[in-house]
Amino acid sequence: MSQQYPVPAPLKEFVNSNTMVVRSPGRINLIGEHTDYNNGFVLPAAIDKAVYVVIEKKEEPVYELFSTDFNESVTISANKVQPAFGHWSTYILGVVAQYQAKGWQVPGFRLAVYGDVPLGAGLSSSAAIECATAFALNELYGFGLNRRDLALLAQKAEHEFAGVKCGIMDQFASVFGKKDHVIRLDCRSLDYEYFPLSLPDYEIVLLDTNVKHSLASSEYNVRRAQCEAGVAMIQKKYPQVLSLRDATIDMVRECIPGDDIIFLRCKYVVEETDRLVTGCEDLQRGDLAAFGQKMFRTHDGLSKEYGVSCPELDYLVDAVRNHPAVIGARMMGGGFGGCTINIVRKEAVKELVNSLADGYKKETGLELKHYEVNIEDGSSRIS
Ligand code: GLA
């Protein structure tokens, strides 16, 4: 049990001698965006913002859920689990449904949830709640799943109960995170390596646009389908290509007409997969400047080729592009709102954020929020 993470105040009243408390964090991703469902690589890390659940068994076959954030409770019979789209309970019930789908008994329980992962900010609050629930039920009933199985089960809950055909990055990072390390994950084999990330002179700063455009989940599934359509075109000539991970830029140029939108989508993904591989080499050499330039290129690809940015994200990246204290910046996560990730010299953070907030307000009428994040451990039982 981890002693490092205290039970957050809003959950203390639910803790007793029969309960256990599980923490599962949100994530950042340094580079490798929209590559996970194309079997490529990603470079995420778990952060110091997390979802916590307190759970205990109940005699009756009923799930009693309570969210401290929404001050709302939901009670569901064990044989009536179904999606509640857009509602916080869907992420918990989605996980229960996955355990049930394995043919396993999930007897009644009482669960209270609290989180400090900002919602809709692209930090994977949904993966955090799914992974916290998956981890907690696994512990409570001794199902014996390992971390990899837990991440896969939580991903499936997102597919089936939230309706987003996400890749594995968010759930994997939440479950496998390691303090002060990023995870270089091969999304084809699920092999992974931890890299120490030590940035003594820099801070990872997330700038939150404070918007989440409604396109986010529908367009996400469209991008996924466009990538599959691209693979089908390439396969006609190169049957060995099973995903964009196996394709080269020359194959993309040869097999997909340049004026087809699918060409731009696939070009971005193939180039991003390469960028991650060389970006990791930059980090290993300690060449942060080269890595930062790649972050800007990723942003341009996501914005102009992959089509998942938005004016608010573009504004924030353009505003820091030539700032001497900013090593690299880009939109992060699925897109259409949420945060940009910035690597910023420590001493310049305060001034940068203040000056951006003014400009952002003038440009969009919105408040700019920001988070300085630290890299922490993945899912664990904390009490
Ligand atoms: C969302 C998804 C992830 C990943 C990113 C984009 O966060 O949940 O699986 O595809 O978008 O990289």
Side-chain angles (χ1 to χ4, degrees):
M1 212 177 308
S2 164
Q3 299 305 320
Q4 204 182 337
Y5 303 106
V7 176
L11 285 183
K12 284 206 171 127
E13 62 178 289
F14 301 95
V15 177
N16 62 49
S17 56
N18 297 320
T19 56
M20 63 171 72
V21 186
V22 168
R23 168 189 176 276
S24 212
R27 62 102 189 89
I28 52 171
N29 182 29
L30 285 192
I31 202 160
E33 215 64 270
H34 285 277
T35 45
D36 59 352
Y37 54 85
N38 288 300
N39 278 342
F41 297 96
V42 288
L43 199 62
I47 57 173
D48 52 354
K49 296 188 180 303
V51 167
Y52 301 80
V53 298
V54 182
I55 195 166
E56 69 184 298
K57 291 182 182 167
K58 256 180 80 75
E59 292 295 320
E60 311 78 57
V62 158
Y63 308 130
E64 246 180 57
L65 317 177
F66 180 71
S67 160
T68 63
D69 303 307
F70 294 96
N71 191 24
E72 190 186 14
S73 56
V74 168
T75 303
I76 300 265
S77 298
N79 58 2
K80 294 244 164 58
V81 172
Q82 56 182 21
F85 287 110
H87 194 263
W88 56 268
S89 62
T90 212
Y91 303 102
I92 298 168
L93 295 172
V95 168
V96 173
Q98 286 308 315
Y99 278 115
Q100 290 179 335
K102 288 180 177 291
W104 296 353
Q105 284 291 323
V106 185
F109 62 83
R110 186 175 292 131
L111 178 151
V113 57
Y114 158 82
D116 61 4
V117 187
L119 303 180
L123 305 183
S124 296
S125 55
S126 59
I129 185 169
E130 288 152 358
C131 293
T133 307
F135 195 98
L137 291 175
N138 194 41
E139 293 275 309
L140 194 68
Y141 296 116
F143 289 139
L145 292 188
N146 60 27
R147 285 183 182 261
R148 186 178 191 268
D149 294 339
L150 288 174
L152 288 166
L153 183 139
Q155 178 197 23
K156 208 140 182 251
E158 177 84 22
H159 287 188
E160 294 186 3
F161 267 50
V164 179
K165 300 284 176 208
C166 65
I168 189 63
M169 170 170 75
D170 303 348
Q171 290 79 8
F172 200 94
S174 188
V175 172
F176 280 88
K178 180 171 171 174
K179 190 172 173 53
D180 297 331
H181 288 72
V182 291
I183 310 167
R184 183 186 194 269
L185 171 65
D186 180 335
C187 300
R188 180 163 62 189
S189 61
L190 296 190
D191 288 343
Y192 63 98
E193 255 178 284
Y194 292 114
F195 275 94
L197 187 73
S198 129
L199 301 170
D201 302 328
Y202 297 89
E203 206 70 74
I204 296 175
V205 181
L206 306 180
L207 298 172
D208 186 348
T209 58
N210 234 331
V211 293
K212 183 176 186 203
H213 295 292
S214 57
L215 286 172
S217 51
S218 57
E219 283 299 305
Y220 186 92
N221 293 345
V222 170
R223 290 301 168 279
R224 199 170 170 145
Q226 288 171 329
C227 292
E228 282 161 16
V231 170
M233 287 160 144
I234 298 169
Q235 267 176 353
K236 287 193 186 132
K237 176 108 196 251
Y238 300 99
Q240 73 276 21
V241 171
L242 302 180
S243 66
L244 288 178
R245 161 74 176 277
D246 308 320
T248 62
I249 192 69
D250 289 341
M251 291 176 184
V252 172
R253 287 188 199 287
E254 187 186 340
C255 303
I256 308 176
D259 57 359
D260 189 332
I261 192 70
I262 292 183
F263 170 79
L264 286 180
R265 307 297 194 233
C266 294
K267 173 176 179 288
Y268 162 76
V269 171
V270 169
E271 288 180 351
E272 178 72 351
T273 296
D274 283 351
R275 233 182 332 258
L276 185 138
V277 174
T278 49
C280 284
E281 290 163 12
D282 295 340
L283 286 180
Q284 278 172 316
R285 276 199 320 273
D287 190 348
L288 211 51
F291 185 79
Q293 286 310 307
K294 292 192 172 69
M295 291 174 75
F296 285 116
R297 283 209 289 282
T298 292
H299 182 80
D300 294 340
L302 287 166
S303 177
K304 299 195 177 77
E305 298 176 344
Y306 211 62
V308 292
S309 187
C310 62
E312 295 86 352
L313 288 166
D314 288 344
Y315 175 86
L316 288 176
V317 171
D318 287 338
V320 301
R321 208 178 273 275
N322 296 314
H323 195 291
V326 180
I327 290 293
R330 63 179 193 80
M331 59 150 277
M332 187 179 74
F336 300 103
C339 290
T340 63
I341 176 170
N342 303 259
I343 302 181
V344 185
R345 283 199 83 83
K346 272 202 167 112
E347 68 276 9
V349 173
K350 211 166 162 214
E351 206 191 308
L352 177 79
V353 169
N354 286 341
S355 69
L356 285 173
D358 288 344
Y360 188 67
K361 181 99 198 243
K362 278 195 198 106
E363 181 74 19
T364 63
L366 296 164
E367 299 297 328
L368 178 70
K369 289 194 275 185
H370 83 284
Y371 321 106
E372 290 165 39
V373 289
N374 295 306
I375 298 180
E376 290 293 338
D377 286 335
S379 311
S380 66
R381 182 174 169 187
I382 61 168
S383 155

